[in-house]
Amino acid sequence: GDSVTQMEGPVTLSEEAFLTINCTYTATGYPSLFWYVQYPGEGLQLLLKATKADDKGSNKGFEATYRKETTSFHLEKGSVQVSDSAVYFCALRESQGAQKLVFGQGTRLTINP
Amino acid sequence: DTAVSQTPKYLVTQMGNDKSIKCEQNLGHDTMYWYKQDSKKFLKIMFSYNNKELIINETVPNRFSPKSPDKAHLNLHINSLELGDSAVYFCASSQEGNRGQETQYFGPGTRLLVL
């Protein structure tokens, strides 16, 4: 079945550092791709999404580009803040069958002042 | 204005008990979901309902029974609770359309601890 693999965490950075969290996927068809963020003690919030190849999703300074050739959707931010500390989930939505949302294992990010 | 709400937020109970978690969405969506997040933060879908009909039923013990009285509600009933049921349960909803591009909106989660 379809699957998502994320960069192992935890990731710890200093404020204003550059962030990359790698995400690759395996899917049949043409899935939609998502990044969700989970702040401590809260539910998941959509951060950004891309629905077709070469689309770039962006929000709150984060961005990710749907790369079909490398089956990747890496999350980047140029300058992180302490408030970005959270768990980040890459996910794909199947384009066929039950169209389930399949999550990666999550990457815990901690930003130190 | 809470979009997807769940009750209770915390649930501590003894093994063998039966419990229910309620979910309501006020977004007018036609599809609702239940997910389980384990202690390592891994998230997996359990069930999906579209217009009150069961669409997705993953390999979940039949002690878990979802019930959708209407499009805005999807409750989860768990019989004979076991230690391994301890997790965070998330409800989500979406308005389905074309090709699975639609965003799912998540509730705040219900933290279940079985003792």
Side-chain angles (χ1 to χ4, degrees), chain A residues 30-71:
Chain A
Y30 302 95
S32 296
L33 301 175
F34 302 81
W35 276 100
Y36 279 86
V37 58
Q38 185 178 25
Y39 297 103
E42 296 185 14
L44 278 77
Q45 302 173 27
L46 177 70
L47 182 58
L48 53 85
K49 73 176 188 181
T51 58
K52 61 183 188 297
D54 299 326
D55 268 3
K56 179 188 281 189
S58 60
N59 185 25
K60 299 181 181 179
F62 291 90
E63 56 183 37
T65 301
Y66 189 141
R67 299 281 187 209
K68 188 167 179 294
E69 63 276 13
T70 54
T71 61

Side-chain angles (χ1 to χ4, degrees), chain A residues 97-108:
Chain A
Q99 297 184 347
K100 292 182 296 186
L101 190 61
V102 177
F103 284 91
Q105 70 269 39
T107 302
R108 182 179 298 277

Side-chain angles (χ1 to χ4, degrees), chain B residues 6-9 11 19-23 34 64-65 67 74-78 87-91 109-112:
Chain B
Q6 293 178 230
T7 53
K9 190 169 182 180
L11 184 52
K19 290 293 178 187
S20 291
I21 307 172
K22 296 187 176 181
C23 178
W34 277 108
F64 289 79
S65 53
K67 285 186 172 51
L74 181 62
N75 303 324
L76 183 64
H77 189 75
I78 314 171
V88 182
Y89 293 84
F90 287 101
C91 178
T110 295
R111 285 145 185 82
L112 171 64

